[in-house]
Amino acid sequence: MASKIRLDRFLSESGYGTRKEVKQMIKKGIVEVNSVSAKDPSFKVDPEKDSVTVEGEDVFHTDEFYIMLNKPEGYITSTKDRELTVMELICDIPRFENLFPVGRLDKDTTGLLLITNDGELAHRLTHPKWKVPKVYIATVKGKLSEKEIEKLEKGINLGDFVTKPAKVKVITEEETTSEVEIEIKEGKYHQVKRMFEKVGHPVIKLRRTSFGPLKLGNLPEGEYRFLTDKEIEKLKRATGLLP
Ligand code: URA
C-alpha cells in the first residue's frame, strides 16, 4: 500500500520544479487536492487515490524517477565510493538507493548529470548507437588556432581511439585562457580533457551544459530537480523508446 507524502514532494517528483519552487506555487493557491485549494506544502496526499491539479491540469505521479542534478566539484559520480558521491546530494529522495547516475562526470567536472532508476533508458543514453550529444563549456589554457579547432572538430587520435566529429565554438578569449563550447556524441573516459590536452590546451575547468535534449538552464549548483513529462518524452524519443 502506498503511503501518503507531502504535497510539495509530490509536485516536485512529478516534474513541477525544485522543492523551493513548488512551495511557492502551492502558496500562490494554484494547486488543488480533490478540487479543494491546498496552500500548505506539508499537506499529505495519497499518490494512488488523491487527485492533484495545478492551474486545473491533472498531475501524474510515477515510480520512475528522472532527475537532473547540477553536480558541483568534489563529488564522485558513483553510487558507492570511499569518497563523497553525487548520491549525497539527492539522499532526501525516497528510495534514492535505487537510483543511479547516467554516465559519469569527473570529480572536478560540474554541471548536468542525469540520475534515474530507469535502466533501459540509462543504457540507451550511454550507448554509442544512439549518438546522444553532450555539450560542455571548457575553460582551457591559451587560445585555440583555426587549425586546432579543425582538428578537434574532424576527429583526433588519442592513442587508443580516434574521436568522432565534434562541434567547437570559442566563446571568450582572455589573456591566458579561453572559454570553449564543445559538443561530442560519445563519452569515453576523460574524453574532453584528453582532446584539449592533445591540441596543447589543457582544461582548467569543465562544465556540462546539456545532455541530449536536456539543458541545465539556471538550476543552481548542488541542486536537483525532477524532469518534466515533456523532457522524459524527448529523452525516450532520442533513444528510440518512443516513436
Ligand atoms: N570529459 C572529461 O574529460 N571529463 C568529464 O567529466 C566529462 C567529459
Side-chain angles (χ1 to χ4, degrees):
M1 198 178 71
S3 49
K4 290 191 167 192
I5 59 171
R6 287 173 58 111
L7 181 58
D8 54 357
R9 193 177 117 191
F10 178 94
L11 288 171
S12 181
E13 285 176 6
S14 306
Y16 278 79
T18 61
R19 279 292 258 281
K20 201 161 133 196
E21 286 164 350
V22 300
K23 271 185 184 144
Q24 279 162 4
M25 285 169 57
I26 296 166
K27 287 187 178 149
K28 259 203 224 158
I30 59 172
V31 180
E32 289 187 355
V33 178
N34 302 325
S35 306
V36 179
S37 175
K39 289 198 173 168
D40 178 5
S42 70
F43 185 78
K44 293 278 177 22
V45 292
D46 181 334
E48 286 190 357
K49 294 191 189 127
D50 291 324
S51 136
V52 179
T53 59
V54 174
E55 289 181 318
E57 260 190 34
D58 289 326
V59 178
F60 299 99
H61 189 261
T62 79
D63 274 344
E64 276 174 334
F65 291 138
Y66 303 89
I67 294 144
M68 179 192 292
L69 170 72
N70 185 349
K71 178 191 171 297
E73 270 188 53
Y75 288 81
I76 305 285
T77 306
S78 169
T79 50
K80 270 198 194 111
D81 199 276
R82 274 180 306 163
E83 293 186 63
L84 218 53
T85 75
V86 290
M87 304 312 279
E88 311 276 345
L89 299 162
I90 58 153
C91 62
D92 58 333
I93 298 174
R95 287 167 284 134
F96 82 97
E97 343 39 80
N98 299 330
L99 305 176
F100 46 85
V102 178
R104 69 189 305 280
L105 291 177
D106 296 335
K107 184 176 172 184
D108 58 357
T109 300
T110 62
L112 201 167
L113 183 67
L114 184 63
I115 298 178
T116 184
N117 55 358
D118 183 338
E120 181 57 26
L121 180 69
H123 172 71
R124 289 184 181 220
L125 285 168
T126 49
H127 197 286
K129 172 178 173 186
W130 299 101
K131 299 187 178 72
V132 175
K134 290 135 223 155
V135 178
Y136 297 85
I137 308 271
T139 308
V140 303
K141 274 199 181 158
K143 296 178 188 175
L144 273 83
S145 66
E146 283 302 317
K147 213 164 173 194
E148 288 161 347
I149 293 175
E150 206 181 298
K151 271 194 193 169
L152 289 168
E153 290 197 314
K154 274 196 170 156
I156 201 161
N157 191 341
L158 293 179
D160 47 343
F161 75 105
V162 179
T163 61
K164 299 243 160 53
K167 287 184 196 157
V168 175
K169 194 168 90 190
V170 175
I171 303 171
T172 53
E173 283 183 336
E174 303 285 328
E175 202 63 3
T176 56
T177 61
S178 310
E179 218 176 44
V180 186
E181 185 181 274
I182 180 163
E183 181 192 288
I184 56 171
K185 290 187 174 161
E186 41 191 353
K188 299 257 174 39
Y189 190 57
H190 290 334
Q191 180 161 340
V192 174
K193 289 178 185 164
R194 290 175 67 195
M195 287 170 78
F196 282 108
E197 180 85 42
K198 187 78 186 182
V199 292
H201 299 281
V203 169
I204 300 164
K205 260 193 196 169
L206 189 62
R207 178 162 58 100
R208 182 155 69 190
T209 55
S210 101
F211 185 85
L214 305 179
K215 301 254 182 295
L216 184 62
N218 52 13
L219 184 66
E221 221 173 87
E223 288 199 19
Y224 68 82
R225 69 170 178 83
F226 289 84
L227 299 189
T228 63
D229 287 345
K230 274 217 175 90
E231 286 173 322
I232 298 165
E233 250 177 61
K234 282 186 190 169
L235 282 176
K236 290 187 173 174
R237 240 177 235 124
T239 51
L241 287 169
L242 280 178

